[in-house]
Amino acid sequence: MLLSELAQKELIQVEEGMRYGFLADTDLLFNHKTGEIIGFEIRKKLGKNLFRQKDQDSIEYIPWHEIVLVGEDRILFGKTHELDRKDVTEYD
């Protein structure tokens, strides 16, 4: 499978059936020393209400181990996790 084909797949959270957009709309988190994929950072689409913004020190992401199935059109995953922004520097 080509990376461009993978990027066009829609992300669906299995338990609630919630859509998270497409893989192309995420950022890859990986350990630059080992090349190990940690997961995919989810870019939040914030509404116009400024009070809904999350703390800038945390990232919502889909860990690699939560990927359940890569189908023809969709990627199914278990649940998202939060990663401290300061922990990400360990992988940069």
Side-chain angles (χ1 to χ4, degrees):
M1 177 180 299
L2 298 173
L3 183 57
S4 60
E5 293 171 338
L6 193 61
Q8 296 172 5
K9 296 187 184 294
E10 187 174 26
L11 295 166
I12 307 288
Q13 194 263 344
V14 176
E15 291 176 13
E16 297 177 21
M18 186 178 229
R19 293 175 160 178
Y20 277 79
F22 294 87
L23 191 66
D25 298 329
T26 67
D27 289 325
L28 179 66
L29 299 173
F30 70 98
N31 184 318
H32 77 283
K33 293 177 183 173
T34 66
E36 176 186 13
I37 296 174
I38 297 162
F40 302 96
E41 180 181 343
I42 300 168
R43 296 182 192 153
K44 288 286 196 173
K45 294 180 181 176
L46 297 173
K48 293 182 181 180
N49 186 347
L50 295 175
F51 298 106
R52 280 195 263 172
Q53 292 182 359
K54 279 191 152 189
D55 185 5
Q56 295 291 331
D57 291 339
S58 65
I59 299 170
E60 189 171 5
Y61 79 109
I62 302 167
W64 183 255
H65 68 271
E66 289 286 349
I67 303 291
V68 176
L69 175 72
V70 178
E72 189 174 326
D73 298 318
R74 292 168 187 83
I75 297 173
L76 305 179
F77 67 93
K79 54 185 161 183
T80 61
H81 294 253
E82 284 199 11
L83 181 71
D84 254 339
R85 174 96 36 209
K86 60 187 169 207
D87 292 338
V88 175
T89 57
E90 172 184 330
Y91 304 111
D92 290 339

